[in-house]
Amino acid sequence: MKNDLLTIGGLTVHGYGLMIGIGFVAAYLLTEYRAKKRGMDSDIILSLAFYTIVSGIVSAKLLYYATVFDEILEDPGMLLNLGDGFVVYGGIIGGVLGGWLFCRIKKLPFFAYFDLVVPAVALAQGFGRIGCFLAGCCYGLQMETPFSIVFTNSDFAPNGVPLLPVQLMASGLDFIHCLLLLAASKRLRADGQTAALYLICYSIGRFALEFLRGDLIRGSVGRLSTSQFISLFILAGGIALFAAAPRIQKKKR
């Protein structure tokens, strides 16, 4: 795969950036559509998206810096490289905090909007992982299988060796996750339970897929990768929220 898809004059279209852009647009359109269907204020979706995206990007970058802190001490110039290096969990945590802050400012029910947004988050992640595949980052273990792929022009993945296409596996799970959340949201009545289901499913899927990742520059906590370690807390938080959501809603009534 080549991350540089095409060049028009001095403008180069990168596969990763294109997929991220498509993911953002698709997520926004899905959220706006669902807001209208639910009788929620769709006019504030763009502002909500701005808060969550900016806070998510900043948090994703900060968590990446935390995973490579030793390298930054040796080469502080890494802090100036703002284009590469983001951790998805940082984006999720930062996005949630940004959404909570926005809802506090606008006096909106946070869990209702959290439920509204999470299927679109899973959708955006699906496109984002396709971008990872095009760039060759977040690559899988070196393994000879009928489904393995070989990169020849990647700046991130090792070239010329068979690798598990873990990016596409993650993308497929993200799209399935989106459909699952859309279906579940029609049955779950308590605000916060759809969001909790997102946290539960994503943390389990991410924990499992980490075993198939071949890129080692991701930090670790003991025998677990940084993302696996965080997944344990996200899973616990998701289960707790799912169980507590009905009681929280009853108290508000």
Side-chain angles (χ1 to χ4, degrees):
M1 285 294 175
K2 294 182 66 176
N3 189 38
D4 297 345
L5 297 182
L6 57 96
T7 300
I8 304 174
L11 175 66
T12 299
V13 178
H14 299 287
Y16 183 79
L18 177 63
M19 287 298 110
I20 292 295
I22 291 174
F24 282 153
V25 172
Y28 172 77
L29 293 176
L30 176 60
T31 304
E32 184 182 50
Y33 171 77
R34 295 185 70 236
K36 291 178 179 178
K37 289 274 288 185
R38 292 181 165 213
M40 301 170 71
D41 185 0
S42 61
D43 294 334
I44 56 91
I45 299 302
L46 186 60
S47 298
L48 175 62
F50 177 78
Y51 265 74
T52 56
I53 290 172
V54 171
S55 58
I57 290 174
V58 171
S59 183
K61 192 66 178 179
L62 290 176
L63 187 54
Y64 169 73
Y65 285 151
T67 63
V68 293
F69 185 70
D70 291 342
E71 296 177 43
I72 291 174
L73 291 178
E74 296 178 4
D75 180 17
M78 289 180 63
L79 294 172
L80 300 178
N81 182 9
L82 302 179
D84 300 325
F86 296 91
V87 176
V88 172
Y89 264 135
I92 293 173
I93 295 169
V96 171
L97 292 176
W100 174 82
L101 178 61
F102 179 83
C103 289
R104 290 278 293 181
I105 293 172
K106 297 293 184 179
K107 295 181 171 55
L108 297 171
F110 169 67
F111 285 121
Y113 278 88
F114 197 4
D115 286 345
L116 176 70
V117 167
V118 286
V121 173
L123 178 64
Q125 287 176 317
F127 285 108
R129 285 306 183 189
I130 295 175
C132 291
F133 178 71
L134 294 176
C137 61
C138 308
Y139 55 88
L141 293 171
Q142 182 174 337
M143 189 178 298
E144 189 79 56
T145 74
F147 309 104
S148 295
I149 49 95
V150 177
F151 290 97
T152 57
N153 294 283
S154 174
D155 293 329
F156 302 99
N159 293 294
V161 296
L163 302 171
L164 285 177
V166 70
Q167 309 99 318
L168 296 183
M169 295 164 66
S171 177
L173 286 177
D174 286 328
F175 290 136
I176 293 172
H177 194 188
C178 174
L179 296 175
L180 172 65
L181 293 171
L182 289 173
S185 67
K186 298 176 181 179
R187 297 178 176 274
L188 298 172
R189 300 304 177 189
D191 290 345
Q193 284 193 312
T194 302
L197 186 61
Y198 167 83
L199 298 176
I200 292 169
C201 293
Y202 183 79
S203 59
I204 293 173
R206 182 61 187 269
F207 189 94
L209 285 177
E210 282 288 300
F211 288 113
L212 304 179
R213 292 272 292 266
D215 51 328
L216 300 178
I217 310 175
R218 290 177 288 122
S220 62
V221 180
R223 295 187 177 183
L224 300 178
S225 71
T226 302
S227 292
Q228 285 179 318
F229 182 72
I230 296 173
S231 290
L232 298 177
F233 294 95
I234 297 295
L235 175 60
I239 293 172
L241 176 58
F242 192 90
R247 295 194 296 273
I248 294 173
Q249 188 151 312
K250 283 182 180 179
K251 287 182 179 180
K252 289 183 178 179
R253 290 175 181 172

